[in-house]
Amino acid sequence: MKPRPITTLRGGAALLAVLALTLTACSGKATDNDKEGADAGGVKTGQGVTDKTITLGVLTDLTGVYASLGKSVTQAQQLWAKQVNAAGGICGRDIKLTVRDHGYDPQKAVTAYNELAPNVLGFAQFIGSPFVAAVKQRIDGQDKGLVLPQAWSASLLGSEYVRVIGATYDIETINALDYLVSEKRIAKGDKVGHVYFEGDYGENALAGSKYEAEQAGLTIVEQKIKPTDNDMSAQVATLKRAGVKAIVISAGPAQTASLVGVAAASGFDVPVVGNNSTFAPQLLATQAGPALMKDYYMAASTLPIGSDEPAPAKLAKEYKAAYPKAELDNGVVAGYVAGTLYGDVLKKACDAKDLTRAGVGKALLSTSSYQGFGITHDFSDPAAPSTRQSVIMKPDDKVPGGLRVVRPAGTAKNAEAFQVTAGG
C-alpha cells in the first residue's frame, strides 16, 4: 500500500498568491458574534462562546493527500472533547468542535476559514502551512483567535495567535544530526547529504543542517526535491558518488521509503535521520521496512504513541477503545496534545473570567510549563519555539505506532545556541 504523507504541508509563491486572492474575495464582515458580553458569573464572552458551549474550529484534510494525518488528529481531538464534556466541560460549558474538510484544496481551505472564523473562539487544528500563512495577516490584524497549526516551520513564529507546538524544523534537524555525532556515526570532515522538499518546510530544515555542519565541521551535500518526486534513485546515486556518511531527509513518508529502500538495495549503508514529517507506520509493511528498522531515525517533540510511559500508553488505550479500527500513529499524539493545550488555556481564561479571544491569548502567553507527552513547552514568547527538545526514535514493527525511543527528550548544545528567525 502506498503510504500517505502524514504531516506539514508546503506551498510556493503562486499558491500563496491564489490564497491571498481567495482570502480577499471571501473575507466576511463582522457579525453579531463579534459582540462581547458576560454570563451570570461575570465571565466575559465573545465569538464562539455561549452559556452552554465553547466552539472551536477544526480545519483538516480528510480526503486529500494528507488524509491519514487529518483523520488521526481530528479523531484524537474529538476524543479529547468527549472526555472534557464527560467530566463537566470547561467553565460550565461543553466543548464543540466544528470540523471542515478542505481536502488540501487552497480555495476550500481559505473559504472554510472565512466561514468558521466569525463563529468560533479559535482553531484547535489547521492543517496546511501555506493555508495558515495565507490567513495569518488576517488572524493577527482582525480575528485574533488562537490557531494551533499542524506544522512546525519557523515561518509561522512571531504571531501571538498562530502558535506552533514543538521545536521548529531547524532545531529538530540540529538535534537529529547531533544524535549521529554523539553516537560517533559521523565526525568532523564528513559529508552529509540532505534531501529536502522545496518550500518553507525543507528550507527551514536545511537551515538547521547547515548550522550543525558549520559547528561540527561537516559538509552538507544538498538535494532539493518536489513533493511530487517519489523516486529517490537519482538522489541516492548522487549522494553515493559524493561519499556522504549519513543522510538527512526533510520530506514525506513516500520519499523516505524510496530513499532508504533504494540505498539499501544499492549497498549504500549509511544512517538516515528525518524530521517528524518523514515517517508513517504503514512504511514498515513495504519493502523498505527492514531498512528503516535497521538504520533510520526520526526526531519529534513528543513521545511516540507506542511508548510505555503513562501518558501515551493511556492515550493509546483510550483511542483504540474509541476507534477500534483506526491505526495508531503520531498524529494521534499531535492532535491530543493540541486539544489538551487548548483546554488548559481555556481553564486559565475562565479563572480570569475572560473567555474572549483576547482572554485566551493572554492565558496562552502566561503558559510557560505545559507538559506535552514527555516535553515541557513554554508559550510566553511568540517569537520562540515552545521547546528546543526533541525525542529521537527508531522504527520498530513490534511497537504500536511503529516507533520506539532511542534517545529521550533533550536539546543539543548547538540547538540551544542556534538563533531561530521568526517569520522565516
Side-chain angles (χ1 to χ4, degrees):
M1 179 178 66
K2 184 178 179 181
R4 294 178 183 270
I6 60 168
T7 184
T8 181
L9 315 172
R10 287 132 311 256
L15 175 58
L16 288 176
V18 172
L19 295 175
L21 289 172
T22 306
L23 177 62
T24 301
C26 298
S27 180
K29 296 181 180 179
T31 70
D32 289 339
N33 291 318
D34 295 324
K35 297 178 181 179
E36 294 184 357
D39 65 12
V43 177
K44 291 175 63 179
T45 60
Q47 292 102 315
V49 181
T50 70
D51 289 343
K52 295 182 179 180
T53 61
I54 297 172
T55 303
L56 301 175
V58 171
L59 295 177
T60 192
D61 179 2
L62 299 176
T63 55
V65 295
Y66 287 83
S68 176
L69 169 70
K71 181 179 179 180
S72 296
V73 174
T74 301
Q75 290 186 162
Q77 293 186 337
Q78 289 171 331
L79 173 62
W80 161 74
K82 182 178 179 181
Q83 292 174 339
V84 168
N85 294 341
I90 295 175
C91 214
R93 296 163 170 86
D94 282 348
I95 299 296
K96 177 183 175 183
L97 300 180
T98 301
V99 180
R100 291 291 183 274
D101 170 26
H102 57 55
Y104 194 46
D105 177 278
Q107 292 187 346
K108 288 182 179 179
V110 176
T111 298
Y113 175 84
N114 290 329
E115 174 196 346
L116 295 188
N119 303 306
V120 299
L121 179 59
F123 290 83
Q125 179 193 161
F126 197 161
I127 286 182
S129 59
F131 310 155
V132 179
V135 297
K136 186 170 178 287
Q137 185 174 356
R138 174 178 166 173
I139 293 169
D140 288 341
Q142 174 182 330
D143 295 333
K144 301 184 186 299
L146 176 60
V147 176
L148 301 181
Q150 291 294 314
W152 294 266
S153 173
S155 66
L156 297 178
L157 297 178
S159 167
E160 288 188 23
Y161 307 102
V162 179
R163 303 302 301 273
V164 175
I165 306 173
T168 45
Y169 294 120
D170 41 18
I171 295 293
E172 192 174 72
T173 305
I174 295 170
N175 284 330
L177 280 173
D178 176 78
Y179 174 73
L180 295 184
V181 172
S182 65
E183 293 292 311
K184 303 188 185 306
R185 303 298 304 279
I186 52 176
K188 184 178 181 179
D190 286 345
K191 293 180 181 179
V192 174
H194 194 156
V195 180
Y196 63 97
F197 275 153
E198 63 183 5
D200 61 339
Y201 162 34
E203 297 289 349
N204 189 220
L206 181 65
S209 67
K210 285 183 172 181
Y211 182 82
E212 175 67 14
E214 182 180 353
Q215 302 304 309
L218 306 168
T219 299
I220 299 297
V221 181
E222 299 179 31
Q223 290 289 288
K224 182 188 292 188
I225 62 173
K226 297 179 181 179
T228 52
D229 295 335
N230 291 324
D231 183 357
M232 297 295 102
S233 299
Q235 288 73 27
V236 168
T238 298
L239 296 177
K240 188 175 182 179
R241 286 195 302 269
V244 304
K245 300 298 183 183
I247 301 172
V248 180
I249 182 163
S250 304
Q255 290 76 23
T256 299
S258 178
L259 185 144
V260 173
V262 169
S266 64
F268 188 28
D269 189 15
V270 297
V272 179
V273 294
N275 294 99
N276 73 67
S277 58
T278 57
F279 178 80
Q282 295 94 332
L283 297 185
L284 298 182
T286 70
Q287 292 181 339
L292 285 164
M293 289 190 286
K294 179 183 178 183
D295 218 5
Y296 168 80
Y297 309 88
M298 189 188 84
S301 291
T302 61
L303 289 167
I305 188 65
S307 170
D308 58 6
E309 290 292 318
K314 180 175 181 289
L315 174 59
K317 181 178 179 180
E318 294 170 343
Y319 186 82
K320 288 301 289 183
Y323 307 103
K325 294 183 179 181
E327 185 167 1
L328 288 171
D329 60 33
N330 270 18
V332 176
V333 178
Y336 199 80
V337 166
T340 55
L341 171 62
Y342 226 119
D344 284 1
V345 171
L346 290 174
K347 290 173 186 175
K348 282 190 173 185
C350 178
D351 290 343
K353 296 189 177 300
D354 191 351
L355 276 178
T356 65
R357 291 177 174 179
V360 170
K362 290 177 183 177
L364 182 61
L365 287 172
S366 70
T367 302
S368 59
S369 57
Y370 170 71
Q371 299 299 316
F373 281 65
I375 287 181
T376 301
H377 297 263
D378 181 353
F379 294 96
S380 62
D381 182 0
S386 66
T387 182
R388 289 177 181 251
Q389 291 188 316
S390 297
V391 178
I392 308 299
M393 293 166 277
K394 191 175 191 294
D396 186 337
D397 61 4
K398 295 181 176 59
V399 176
L403 291 168
R404 61 180 172 87
V405 176
V406 294
R407 187 169 80 176
T411 306
K413 181 180 178 181
N414 290 335
E416 193 66 51
F418 180 74
Q419 297 296 310
V420 176
T421 302

